[in-house]
Amino acid sequence: MSKVFDFLKKYLMGPMGKLSTFQFVRAIMAAGMASIPFTIVGSMFLVLSVIPQAFPVLQGIWDASFVKFNDLYMIANHFTMGVLAIYFCIIMGYELTKIKAKENDLNLDPLNGAMLSLMAFLFTIPELTIDGGMMKLVQSITDSEHVFNGIRLGDFATRLGTEGIFTGILMAALAVWLYSLCVKKNWTIRMPEAVPAGVSKSFTALIPAFVVAFVVLIINALLVLTGYDIYKIIQIPFSFVTNVTNTWYGMIIIYFLIGALWCVGIHGATIITSFTNPIVLANMAHNFDAVQSGSGQIYAYAGEFNNCYVTIGGSGATLGLVIFMVFMAKSEQLKVLGRASIVPAFFNINEPIIFGTPMIYNPSLLIPFILAPIVSSLIAFFAIDTGLVAPMIAQVPWPTPVGIGAFLGTAGDFKAVILALVCITVATIIYFPFFKAYDKKLYKEEQGQISAE
């Protein structure tokens, strides 16, 4: 086991630990966390639209009540999930500017960074084409597509939603880099000290705003001349990543990395999910459209797939382990820890288990901690991919207890509840022999200490 930990430290902890310190990565993590409330609010209103599909008996009641206000309450969805890329971009720009200001000792205003990021992102939204030697906004109103003045419309402006998250992240990174470069080079307008701070800050951002605008417009122009735009360029590498993620072997890679990183002391869930969040959100939006239309590909890895089916009880799928600790542990350490952790575990919170058991650098529990989530993810993936269970179409709060989150996320599929219970049962079975061995070891150590005293 020492060789295993040495391998993980050398080939996983080192590179991933370094990756997690990058300013860009930390800003993405912050953006993902801060966007959670908006995805949940938008999804909860979305559920109102699909409840009759899960419970046909309620169709008449819905037609006489909620349907009459559908356009009203769906505003909450259109301006949260429908413009999620805007939230990502603003938060990313704000957080990245704040990090650069602190760590690079630059006089940067996070609010200016956020607004410059938003401006850069909005510049990429319109679609352009070359027509008659001129660069023009795309106009295409047909039965299959609606593009008006370069803005492609679906339920809403499509590029403002989950489709635009990756572009928003990159535009935020570009805008903040240009902003910090201007400040470093003193390419700013300095106002007298007597000028109010708010006015002074706005003028400080004036030259950086022109720089960001020119750079993004030039990038747009060059890409349009080649027959592309930034969305099509980004789609090339990220489509490969997305395609891998939406496979059974993608599940193995994702959950192996999360578990292995945790085992050597790095918050694997935060690092890995910061990159997969845009993918699962886009997949969830796609699933909703597919369910509504009754056709189209569905994605198993979508929405809160992770917390509803895989990491039940927290990273490592430790709910069953905690139950073992409470009711079966002979070791006083595990018994006390289990009692203290049982309530949080039902809400997918298990930091007490991670650090108290501990899971970090613990060869006795390394295998189940990594294996249980992998097996659970594969069970859930194949159940959804084969159509046995409905896909995730709505975001739910990650601490939602086992079964309830799956039920809400699928808009009322009772089979999703069964699937969640199957996943945690299998994970619990995987933990059992390792728990027994570890509990026996600790119990002997405790008894030895008592005898020595």
Side-chain angles (χ1 to χ4, degrees), residues 210-253:
F210 272 111
V211 172
V212 171
F214 280 123
V215 169
V216 176
L217 289 176
I218 290 171
I219 291 173
N220 280 349
L222 292 175
L223 291 175
V224 171
L225 289 173
T226 62
Y228 289 90
D229 66 10
I230 193 164
Y231 283 80
K232 293 176 183 177
I233 293 294
I234 289 175
Q235 189 177 5
I236 296 171
F238 283 106
S239 62
F240 170 76
V241 176
T242 302
N243 290 338
V244 171
T245 302
N246 291 318
T247 61
W248 63 267
Y249 50 87
M251 297 295 94
I252 295 175
I253 294 170

Side-chain angles (χ1 to χ4, degrees), residues 166-189:
F166 285 121
T167 302
I169 288 172
L170 292 182
M171 286 298 102
L174 174 64
V176 173
W177 178 74
L178 291 172
Y179 177 31
S180 61
L181 179 65
C182 289
V183 172
K184 280 182 183 178
K185 301 292 185 180
N186 290 318
W187 299 340
T188 58
I189 298 175

Side-chain angles (χ1 to χ4, degrees), residues 194-211:
V195 176
V199 176
S200 179
K201 286 182 179 179
S202 65
F203 274 91
T204 301
L206 183 58
I207 292 177
F210 272 111
V211 172

